[in-house]
Amino acid sequence: MAHHRAILAAAAMLFLLVLVPGVTAAETYGFVTKWGSQGSGDGQFIRPIGIAIDPEGNVYVADGQNSRIQKFTSGGTFITKWGSPGSANGSFYTPFGVAADPAGNIYVTDLSYHRVQKFTPDGSFITKWGSAGSANGSLRSPSGVATDDDGNVYVADAYNYRIQKFTPDGSFITAWGSEGSGDGQFDNPAGIAADASGTIYVVDSNNHRIQKFSSEGKFLGTWGSMGDTDGKFQYPGGIALDNAGNVYVTDTFNNRVQKFTPDGTFVTKWGSIGSGDGQFQSPTGIAVDSSGNVYVGEYGTNRIQKFALTAEVLPLPGMANAPTDSDGDGLYEDLNGNGRADFADIVLLYDQMDWISEHEPVPYFDFNGNGRMDFDDIVTIYEEL
């Protein structure tokens, strides 16, 4: 073991002299499963909109015209539901956005009653806030909702053309935005998401773009314009982030999903108009679970589709066998393909990191989960042996 530590230390020193570029291979997403049809029965929908994933991996869907929330397993098995038409606590007229906080509490925006309601994971009512208006804490057709790691709640206040930030119990903190197309302005802000550092991403739907802000509303950047080529949008709707901070957007009128890096660099896309597996008719809500699976709700076909990253894993140079996921965790620790993870795999990872970055699906080898290949991946796999 002392010999192994010495080799690892030497590798670390060499790595400081040669930076490994974070180039990613082309990515594709494959259809996994689907559920839902038009109707009001359990597991059926009429105009599903928002989607959220709780810390346990359960899926929550805002079933818009059924005025309810439905809860499912990650595979689409129905668990429970709550809500009915009305203005009483726990009732909805048009539930639109849905989000889960780190404790598993569920927040739902009601587009027509201009409010946010908070529930336990099983649908028990906790609290509510908001009423029609433009004052701080008032709302006008709230759409998307998101929570950060501290439990703060961000609401896309669509027809006040702003974002409002609240404490977990609904106390107003701050707001930003106005009507327009300039930096920090909005025309129908829709989906909203927060990353682990508190950076906020907003779908500025009628401006056909994504805007990025600090947690206090400082403008950080934007990308997108109207069109159907890579990186452009036609009335985008929902937005979600994975653990590495990559951004997924439902490009609603283009009937596709686009994936970007945190700074807006295009990564991949999938979907076309239709009702087949992997096709869409007005995709709206989107969520990503901790394993990187992507869930998309369709307004037009009243269903949820689930997708996963699919890519061929190739043998590394000089190896007869392709890497394998020896423990079933979705990461390919067995780089030399001998059926087990051992120190030879660490050496191979160090020697072939450039090649892996360029030829393999990087998420399969991103052992520290930071979205790129770097020396910390070697340290992580070494510590797990």
Side-chain angles (χ1 to χ4, degrees):
M1 181 59 73
H3 176 65
H4 289 170
R5 291 181 186 276
I7 295 175
L8 189 65
M13 293 181 67
L14 286 171
F15 184 83
L16 294 175
L17 300 177
V18 182
L19 296 178
V20 178
V23 179
T24 59
E27 296 181 357
T28 59
Y29 280 78
F31 171 82
V32 175
T33 190
K34 64 185 176 185
W35 68 91
S37 60
Q38 183 170 341
S40 56
D42 294 346
Q44 293 185 306
F45 308 102
I46 302 179
R47 305 293 188 248
I49 308 173
I51 302 178
I53 310 292
D54 71 13
E56 302 301 318
N58 299 304
V59 182
Y60 299 79
V61 181
D63 188 6
Q65 292 189 18
N66 279 322
S67 302
R68 65 185 181 182
I69 302 299
Q70 294 197 67
K71 179 179 179 179
F72 302 89
T73 67
S74 61
T77 300
F78 175 81
I79 297 175
T80 191
K81 63 186 176 185
W82 69 88
S84 59
S87 59
N89 294 341
S91 296
F92 310 101
Y93 190 87
T94 311
F96 193 99
V98 60
D101 70 16
N105 298 305
I106 305 301
Y107 298 81
V108 183
T109 57
D110 194 328
L111 192 75
S112 300
Y113 283 133
H114 314 287
R115 66 181 182 181
V116 178
Q117 294 191 72
K118 179 180 180 180
F119 302 89
T120 65
D122 63 1
S124 297
F125 175 82
I126 297 174
T127 191
K128 64 183 178 184
W129 67 89
S131 59
S134 58
N136 292 339
S138 295
L139 302 163
R140 185 169 285 123
S141 299
S143 51
V145 61
T147 63
D148 63 21
D149 284 357
D150 294 325
N152 298 306
V153 182
Y154 302 81
V155 178
D157 189 4
Y159 289 107
N160 280 321
Y161 307 100
R162 66 184 179 183
I163 304 302
Q164 294 199 66
K165 179 180 179 179
F166 301 92
T167 65
D169 64 0
S171 297
F172 174 82
I173 298 175
T174 191
W176 68 90
S178 60
E179 185 176 4
S181 59
D183 293 346
Q185 294 184 308
F186 303 103
D187 187 358
N188 187 23
I192 188 167
D195 71 13
S197 65
T199 302
I200 308 303
Y201 297 81
V202 181
V203 175
D204 189 6
S205 187
N206 292 358
N207 282 322
H208 314 285
R209 66 182 180 179
I210 307 302
Q211 294 198 69
K212 180 177 178 180
F213 302 90
S214 72
S215 61
E216 300 305 319
K218 179 183 177 182
F219 176 79
L220 300 177
T222 186
W223 71 88
S225 59
M226 189 172 186
D228 59 8
T229 55
D230 295 349
K232 294 188 176 183
F233 307 101
Q234 290 197 59
Y235 301 98
I239 190 166
L241 310 176
D242 64 21
N243 287 344
N246 296 304
V247 181
Y248 302 74
V249 180
T250 49
D251 189 3
T252 304
F253 278 34
N254 281 324
N255 294 291
R256 65 185 180 181
V257 173
Q258 295 195 68
K259 178 180 178 180
F260 303 88
T261 64
D263 64 0
T265 301
F266 175 81
V267 176
T268 192
K269 64 185 177 184
W270 70 94
S272 60
I273 189 168
S275 58
D277 295 345
Q279 294 184 306
F280 303 111
Q281 292 185 21
S282 300
T284 49
I286 188 167
V288 183
D289 67 21
S290 60
S291 298
N293 299 304
V294 181
Y295 302 77
V296 181
E298 291 177 73
Y299 197 83
T301 54
N302 298 295
R303 67 179 180 178
I304 308 299
Q305 293 192 72
K306 179 180 179 179
F307 301 89
L309 182 66
T310 59
E312 183 181 6
V313 178
L314 304 173
L316 273 62
M319 297 293 107
N321 299 316
T324 68
D325 176 12
S326 58
D327 59 4
D329 65 352
L331 297 171
Y332 284 62
E333 301 93 342
D334 173 27
L335 278 81
N336 59 15
N338 67 356
R340 64 184 184 276
D342 53 31
F343 191 77
D345 296 308
I346 296 174
V347 175
L348 191 58
L349 178 60
Y350 174 76
D351 288 341
Q352 300 296 337
M353 189 173 287
D354 282 350
W355 190 92
I356 292 170
S357 294
E358 295 172 0
H359 298 93
E360 300 281 22
V362 168
Y364 293 176
F365 300 88
D366 178 23
F367 300 110
N368 68 351
N370 68 355
R372 63 183 184 274
M373 298 297 299
D374 55 29
F375 187 74
D376 285 342
D377 294 308
I378 298 174
V379 175
T380 299
I381 191 174
Y382 173 80
E383 291 176 345
E384 291 177 354
L385 289 183

